[in-house]
Amino acid sequence: GTVTAGKASGADTQLTQSEIGLLMAQIKKCWNLLPSQISSGVTAELVVTLNQDGSVSGKPKVVSADSSDIGAQIAQSAQRAVLECQPYKLPPAKYAQWNQLDLVMDPAGQ
């Protein structure tokens, strides 16, 4: 799936495209989806809080997901992927920009 980090107004927009790309690639490796989920057209938005070592602090929070069963499945699988792929390799000097990320998880990007 496709993962996008940040919103136009978020602090994490200060990460370079390369840094965001590496983060997305890392999460994508752990995101296991069924064919029906990939073609569903449903996305999920998570807020992920990270520690300075790149580990996830707590459970990623689902802030937006379709109310259908498949929407719930996609959101849960996105949460699992974020947790399974930690720690994330992000620049320590930019911790203030990536300590909390908004991730839009789109299965159609598989």
Side-chain angles (χ1 to χ4, degrees), residues 1-22:
T2 300
V3 181
T4 58
K7 296 180 179 178
S9 61
D12 43 331
T13 58
Q14 296 174 19
L15 292 174
T16 67
Q17 288 299 315
S18 176
E19 291 162 345
I20 293 169
L22 291 172

Side-chain angles (χ1 to χ4, degrees), residues 2 8 13 19 22 40 47 49 55 65 74 78 85 88 98 101 104 107-108:
T2 300
T13 58
E19 291 162 345
L22 291 172
S40 69
V47 171
T49 302
S55 63
I74 288 169
C85 280
Y88 294 96
W98 57 259
L101 297 172
V104 178

Side-chain angles (χ1 to χ4, degrees), residues 21-30 81 85-89:
L22 291 172
L23 172 71
M24 294 186 311
Q26 190 173 347
I27 294 171
K28 188 175 176 180
K29 288 179 187 177
C30 298
C85 280
Q86 65 180 315
Y88 294 96
K89 299 167 187 76

Side-chain angles (χ1 to χ4, degrees), residues 62-91:
V62 177
V63 293
S64 175
D66 191 85
S67 61
S68 66
D69 286 343
I70 201 159
Q73 293 167 4
I74 288 169
Q76 289 170 356
S77 69
Q79 287 176 308
R80 278 193 304 272
V82 169
L83 290 171
E84 289 174 15
C85 280
Q86 65 180 315
Y88 294 96
K89 299 167 187 76
L90 293 162

